[in-house]
C-alpha cells in the first residue's frame, strides 16, 4: 500500500508570507505527527493528532504555527508570516495505534528567503 | 526532558566491514525505533525494538530496556548503507518520538 505522502516536496517563499504544507497519512492510521529537521535543532516534534482527541501542540515553536486534521485523515501545517529560522525540512509521520511504530513521509523542504 | 545520545557521531568504514552503533537514553520508554536517513532525506524504518533482539538481513538490533541502551549492528557493510542512522524513543506516557543526534556512516568502496 501507499506510504505517507507530503506536498509540496519543496517550497521557497519570501519572509513574511504564509505557507501551507500537506500530509496524507497511511490509510487507516489513527495517529498523525509533524516533526521538523533543521541544521541547528536536529529532528524535533511539533504536533500530534490521535483520533478525535485534542491535538498535542506542545512542540509548536510559536503561535505563527498551526495545524489541522480534517476527517481524521489529511493534515495541513500552516506557518504564518514566515521567518528565515523557519527554513527546515518538515516531516509528517503516521501510525496505526498508540505505541506502535511511526512511518515517515518524504518531507517538505521549506526555504524562507 | 529525556536525553537520547548516539555514538559515535561519525563512522567511516571500508566496504565489507562490520559496525556497531549505540543509543543511550535517560528514562523508561514505550517505543524505540531505528531509522536510516538516505541521501534524499527519507527516513527509512529499520527496527521497532522497545526491548529484545531483532534481525533483518545484514542488520540486527538489541535493546536492553533495563539498562537504557540499544545497539544497531551492520554486518558486511555496503556503500548503500551510507547515510545517517537515528535512534528515536517514546517516553512512557508521552506519545511522541525524541530523536538522538544521529550517527553519520560513510562506507568507502
Amino acid at each position: 500500500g501507499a506510504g505517507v505522502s507530503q506536498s509540496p516536496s519543496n517550497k521557497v517563499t519570501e519572509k513574511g508570507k504564509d505557507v501551507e504544507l500537506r500530509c496524507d497519512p497511511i490509510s487507516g492510521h489513527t495517529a498523525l505527527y509533524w516533526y521538523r529537521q533543521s541544521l541547528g535543532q536536529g529532528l524535533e516534534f511539533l504536533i500530534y493528532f490521535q483520533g478525535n482527541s485534542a491535538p498535542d501542540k506542545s512542540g509548536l515553536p510559536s503561535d505563527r504555527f498551526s495545524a489541522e486534521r480534517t476527517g481524521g485523515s489529511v493534515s495541513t501545517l500552516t506557518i504564518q508570516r514566515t521567518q528565515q529560522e523557519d527554513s527546515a525540512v518538515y516531516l509528517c509521520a503516521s501510525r496505526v495505534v498508540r505505541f506502535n511504530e511511526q512511518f515517515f513521509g518524504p518531507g517538505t523542504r521549506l526555504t524562507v528567503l | 526532558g529525556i536525553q537520547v545520545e548516539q555514538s559515535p557521531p561519525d563512522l567511516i568504514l571500508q566496504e565489507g566491514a562490520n559496525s556497531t552503533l549505540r543509543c543511550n537514553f535517560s528514562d523508561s520508554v514505550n517505543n524505540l525505533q531505528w531509522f536510516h536517513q538516505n541521501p534524499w532525506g527519507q527516513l527509512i524504518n529499520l527496527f521497532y525494538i522497545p526491548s529484545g533482539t531483532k534481525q533483518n538481513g545484514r542488520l540486527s538490533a538489541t535493546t536492553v530496556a533495563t539498562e537504557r541502551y540499544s545497539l544497531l549492528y551492520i554486518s558486511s557493510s555496503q556503500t548503500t548503507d551510507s547515510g545517517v542512522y537515528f535512534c528515536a524513543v517514546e517516553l512512557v506516557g508521552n506519545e511522541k518520538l525524541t530523536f538522538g543526534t544521529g550517527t553519520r556512516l560513510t562506507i568507502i568502496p
Side-chain angles (χ1 to χ4, degrees):
Chain A
V4 178
S5 61
Q6 294 185 243
S7 61
S9 54
N10 281 285
K11 176 72 176 178
V12 180
T13 190
E14 294 178 349
K15 178 181 172 182
K17 301 282 190 184
D18 298 351
V19 295
E20 285 189 351
L21 312 179
R22 178 187 168 105
C23 172
D24 283 86
I26 294 172
S27 177
H29 280 197
T30 63
L32 186 148
Y33 296 79
W34 286 97
Y35 296 84
R36 74 176 175 181
Q37 186 173 24
S38 55
L39 281 176
Q41 301 297 323
L43 271 153
E44 55 181 351
F45 163 79
L46 297 177
I47 187 168
Y48 160 46
F49 297 88
Q50 172 62 57
N52 295 321
S53 303
D56 176 352
K57 303 179 183 180
S58 60
L60 294 179
S62 78
D63 58 7
R64 295 186 296 103
F65 287 72
S66 63
E68 62 178 21
R69 188 179 185 191
T70 54
S73 181
V74 172
S75 177
T76 303
L77 177 69
T78 301
I79 309 173
Q80 295 178 311
R81 304 181 303 281
T82 51
Q83 303 295 312
Q84 288 183 333
E85 61 263 28
D86 299 335
S87 296
V89 177
Y90 289 81
L91 294 161
C92 178
S94 71
R95 68 177 173 187
V96 174
V97 293
R98 285 174 162 147
F99 312 130
N100 218 319
E101 65 183 308
Q102 296 185 26
F103 293 89
F104 282 77
T108 293
R109 181 176 297 278
L110 175 66
T111 303
V112 182
L113 301 176
Chain B
I2 189 167
Q3 304 290 321
V4 183
E5 297 178 349
Q6 291 186 242
S7 60
D10 291 279
L11 189 56
I12 301 174
L13 297 171
Q14 290 286 141
E15 199 169 20
N18 302 328
S19 58
T20 301
L21 283 59
R22 186 176 180 103
C23 172
N24 291 336
F25 46 95
S26 58
D27 214 332
S28 298
V29 299
N30 271 329
N31 176 13
L32 187 146
Q33 292 185 241
W34 282 98
F35 297 93
H36 175 211
Q37 189 166 44
N38 65 21
W40 297 271
Q42 175 77 55
L43 282 170
I44 309 296
N45 288 43
L46 297 177
F47 293 102
Y48 167 70
I49 188 165
S51 64
T53 297
K54 290 186 177 180
Q55 180 156 8
N56 184 3
R58 296 182 295 105
L59 275 61
S60 63
T62 295
T63 298
V64 184
T66 52
E67 297 186 21
R68 299 182 182 168
Y69 74 88
S70 183
L71 302 173
L72 176 69
Y73 305 97
I74 305 174
S75 64
S76 304
S77 300
Q78 301 175 358
T79 55
T80 51
D81 295 332
S82 295
V84 182
Y85 289 80
F86 288 102
C87 162
V89 303
E90 186 175 329
L91 270 182
V92 172
N94 190 344
E95 297 173 35
K96 54 200 176 194
L97 289 175
T98 298
F99 283 80
T101 51
T103 292
R104 181 174 297 277
L105 177 65
T106 303
I107 304 299
I108 301 171

